[in-house]
Amino acid sequence: MKTFTIALALLAAQDGKKWKPFEFAGNEKFEYKVVQTDNDEKKESGFLLDLRKKGDEQLEVTVSHRSILRKDQGAEIVMSGGGAGMLPLVLFNPGILGLFQQVELKEGEKMAILGFGVIKVGKKETIGGRSGFPCTLIAQQDGKDVASFQWTIDPELGLPIRSITYEEGKEKIRADLLSYKKD
């Protein structure tokens, strides 16, 4: 019986972790592919976040954005694709992500968020070489359950490995981790 109890405790320690968003180790690099859908048109872009330790309490942060623009788009070229700098904030909104730090990361877990809906945790999946749990915020819209947001969370990382924003139940913006490197 004691062995069984220890095995259960070890399982609970592996699954059921809680996530701490925006806690970074430093000397790590995140690269994301972003796809925005407007009507049936898809626009691909991306961004890279590079965090380097500078002493015990500081990080040097480098962010770069990738967009495809026509040569005649002039000012948009200089402005990094017209708003591309806002993408990380939209995709990884600290106010929304804070809700997910309360969820136990294990398949089948559900948590009601007063005024927002219910967060449902799905089966572990791998994205960009990292494994995490898809956590979907389900809200009521016209009496129906509709996905509002989904983040796939690797509890070891400070950002989700996937972020999906839905509009009226349809995928609007998706960011998938292409690679994560720590040195």
Side-chain angles (χ1 to χ4, degrees):
M1 186 67 165
K2 190 174 188 177
T3 305
F4 179 72
T5 305
I6 291 170
L8 280 178
L10 287 172
L11 262 176
Q14 290 174 352
D15 286 337
K17 288 183 177 179
K18 290 197 177 180
W19 182 51
K20 294 182 172 121
F22 305 111
E23 286 193 13
F24 301 106
N27 295 334
E28 55 192 328
K29 188 183 289 188
F30 298 81
E31 183 179 0
Y32 288 88
K33 172 184 170 182
V34 179
V35 177
Q36 293 178 280
T37 305
D38 284 318
N39 299 322
D40 288 328
E41 183 183 336
K42 292 185 179 197
K43 182 178 178 181
E44 185 179 315
S45 62
F47 68 93
L48 184 115
L49 175 66
D50 189 5
L51 305 163
R52 301 284 128 200
K53 285 185 180 180
K54 293 294 177 189
D56 289 337
E57 299 296 320
Q58 293 182 324
L59 295 172
E60 178 181 86
V61 180
T62 303
V63 179
S64 63
H65 302 277
R66 178 180 49 82
S67 298
I68 298 173
L69 301 169
R70 294 184 322 272
K71 288 181 181 180
D72 66 352
Q73 288 182 281
E76 277 192 60
I77 292 171
V78 177
M79 301 299 288
S80 299
M86 294 301 291
L87 279 175
L89 182 59
V90 170
L91 297 171
F92 307 120
N93 182 316
I96 300 294
L97 288 174
L99 298 174
F100 288 95
Q101 64 187 334
Q102 304 302 318
V103 178
E104 284 192 56
L105 295 174
K106 61 183 179 182
E107 185 180 344
E109 188 68 19
K110 292 180 185 178
M111 186 173 117
I113 305 292
L114 191 60
F116 285 97
V118 175
I119 296 172
K120 295 181 181 179
V121 181
K123 185 177 180 180
K124 210 171 200 181
E125 58 188 15
T126 301
I127 301 158
R130 301 294 300 203
S131 294
F133 292 92
C135 301
T136 306
L137 178 61
I138 307 290
Q140 283 283 311
Q141 189 174 25
D142 299 325
K144 296 179 185 175
D145 285 345
V146 177
S148 297
F149 302 98
Q150 182 185 78
W151 293 276
T152 301
I153 297 170
D154 174 342
E156 303 300 320
L157 300 181
L159 291 176
I161 58 177
R162 173 176 284 152
S163 173
I164 303 173
T165 302
Y166 296 92
E167 195 172 274
E168 297 178 8
K170 294 181 182 176
E171 193 172 299
K172 187 73 174 169
I173 304 172
R174 171 190 288 257
D176 286 324
L177 183 73
L178 293 177
S179 69
Y180 171 80
K181 295 176 185 160
K182 178 153 176 44
D183 49 58

